[in-house]
Amino acid sequence: MLVQDHPKRDLLIAFVDGELDADQEREINRLIKLDPDAEKFVELLWRSALPYSEAFESLLSLPVPNKAKDAIEPDRESLKKTSNDRFSSASYNAAAGQSNSVQPSSSQPRFFPNDRFSLPLWLGVTAGFATGVFMTVLLSGWVFSSRPSTFVDSVSQYQSLYQRETVVNARVDVPALKEMMLQQLGRNITIPDFSDQGLEFKRGQLLQMSGKPLIQLVYLGSDGLPLALCITPSDTTGGETVSALSKRVPEFGERHGLNYGHWQKAGLDFVIVGDDSVSVSAATRQSISTMEI
Amino acid sequence: MIELLPRLRRYALTLASNEFDADDLLQVTIERALTRSHQFHSADSPDRWMFTIMSSVWKNDLRARAIRQGKGFVDPETLSHTSFESHPEGNVLYSEILEMVGRLPETQREVIVLVYVEGFKYSEAAKILNVPIGTIMSRISRARLTLGTQLGLNDMTAMEDRC
């Protein structure tokens, strides 16, 4: 008799695999006692079990692309070097007046910290309440190291993980966001309107980089590509004055596959990061000329 | 969770026809997981969640993209073109198993790998693949039948003679 001929084939295989519930097991045990073919089939299954796991073990040793690792831990090399200098995030609830600002994160891996899979909400979740009154910006567990000179690099690396789905459903309470920006940066800063370029303002977040607040404003283009404007206090630890740090002429470049425009003004560092160089350039120049600080 | 990557890539190799597509699948899966991390519930198993995403990405995005690129409709029941490398240690049986599993239709191949390689229960595999558990049992049964036939293990009489 061939295996495929047995009418209870599926159940017998599940029995051998230990996948049946108690009632089904009793049924199969009865069947085996009464049906010699079933008994032989089960015996055959036991004997013919193949070492699948061992055979596939070798595929685990194939190298995983660095791109995949970097997507999860873009700072994994830097993390090994330092545990104090980090770019992390905090949550901010403008409506409740709470700002869990700049909570230094632990040295846990960025992805799935605290032994939980869900916590590294590097995406942040903007929970715009139905009333429109509240804006809660839940900030991510993003953690990667940053040096002052790598502000643009860190932001670009972070932004390279963004895609349309990251922000498409986000909602933002602009007055609350501006209040938060005032608290964190000490200045009233206008939020640029890039709608003429087909960019819709989707979300504002408070992040942290090297112990300093970092405001991230994210726009979504009609082409489905996100663009971000990030602002953080300039580093003055080197003895430079605020005025000396001003760099009104933007620097344009490319990092981590994204284009950026970087400038400094009034003691703040600004960077615009996005896929399209034309959009980045236009947004950068518009920001410099129209943003009131 | 970076330590999950080798297993995910292995599963990607199981689904895709080549390393290029497998790496693409892995990358999209990671990005999808990152964007949906807020949907993860602590009661879920992290690895099961990731395998579910990969399965979904493959079925809904990448395979569909391949079809759109001109491969036409492909019935996953008959799709069997994954080619694993021979076992590096030269183990003949292991190489044979890799080759045979690679020749299985996609729907059977993925179940064999999820259950016998990754160690998921039937019920977990059913959730990962979003199919009823009866479908899992049926696919495993057909896969084992195919594999047993190829190894000459399905004839009880022959088996008895061998033993």
Side-chain angles (χ1 to χ4, degrees), chain A residues 146-154 209 235 255 262:
Chain A
S146 170
R147 295 172 298 281
S149 60
T150 60
F151 163 63
V152 173
D153 188 71
S154 296
M209 186 177 72
D235 180 36
R255 296 276 178 92
H262 172 225

Side-chain angles (χ1 to χ4, degrees), chain A residues 1-6 9-20 24 36-38 40-73 76 109-112 115-125 142 160-163 165-166, chain B residues 1-2 4-7 9-10 13-14 19 23 26-27 30-42 45-47 49-50 53 84-88 93-95 97-98 100-102 112-113 115-118 120-123 133-134 137-145 147-149 151 153-157 159-160 163:
Chain A
M1 176 182 180
L2 297 177
V3 168
Q4 63 263 38
D5 296 332
H6 202 288
R9 188 187 69 200
D10 293 1
L11 279 175
L12 288 169
I13 291 176
F15 172 78
V16 170
D17 284 343
E19 290 282 351
L20 298 182
Q24 290 173 314
D37 283 340
K40 284 180 185 174
F41 183 30
V42 168
E43 188 183 343
L44 175 65
L45 288 172
W46 283 116
R47 289 178 186 170
S48 64
L50 295 172
Y52 296 104
S53 183
E54 291 82 354
F56 276 77
E57 186 78 20
S58 62
L59 299 183
L60 292 176
S61 60
L62 296 175
V64 174
N66 284 334
K67 188 180 174 188
K69 294 178 185 172
D70 290 343
I72 294 176
E73 288 189 353
R76 55 201 164 92
R110 183 174 56 77
F111 197 34
F112 316 135
D115 297 322
R116 288 191 59 192
F117 197 71
S118 60
L119 291 182
L121 298 179
W122 61 266
L123 306 172
V125 178
W142 188 262
S160 68
L161 297 179
Y162 270 58
Q163 55 186 13
E165 287 72 19
T166 314
Chain B
M1 198 45 63
I2 202 162
L4 189 58
L5 288 180
R7 287 176 59 202
R9 187 167 188 273
R10 178 170 68 179
L13 282 167
T14 301
E19 289 196 13
D23 289 344
L26 178 64
Q27 194 67 27
I30 291 168
E31 290 168 2
R32 189 70 54 85
L34 288 169
T35 58
R36 296 183 179 178
S37 58
H38 61 284
Q39 295 177 357
F40 176 77
H41 304 294
S42 57
S45 149
D47 51 355
W49 191 64
M50 290 296 292
I53 292 173
F84 295 115
E85 297 290 330
S86 294
H87 197 272
L93 177 59
Y94 291 173
S95 293
I97 290 171
L98 288 176
M100 288 191 306
V101 172
I112 287 290
V113 170
V115 172
Y116 294 126
V117 178
E118 294 297 342
F120 289 110
K121 305 287 287 181
Y122 284 12
S123 57
I133 194 168
M137 292 170 69
S138 171
R139 289 177 182 175
I140 282 184
S141 175
R142 275 181 283 148
R144 288 194 61 160
L145 174 68
L147 296 170
T149 300
L151 287 174
L153 298 174
N154 288 346
D155 188 323
M156 291 189 191
T157 308
M159 195 68 190
E160 283 173 345
C163 302

Side-chain angles (χ1 to χ4, degrees), chain B residues 44-62:
Chain B
D44 289 343
S45 149
D47 51 355
R48 194 177 73 201
W49 191 64
M50 290 296 292
F51 276 85
T52 302
I53 292 173
M54 178 168 281
S55 175
S56 172
V57 166
W58 174 247
K59 288 180 175 61
N60 299 327
D61 295 359
L62 300 188

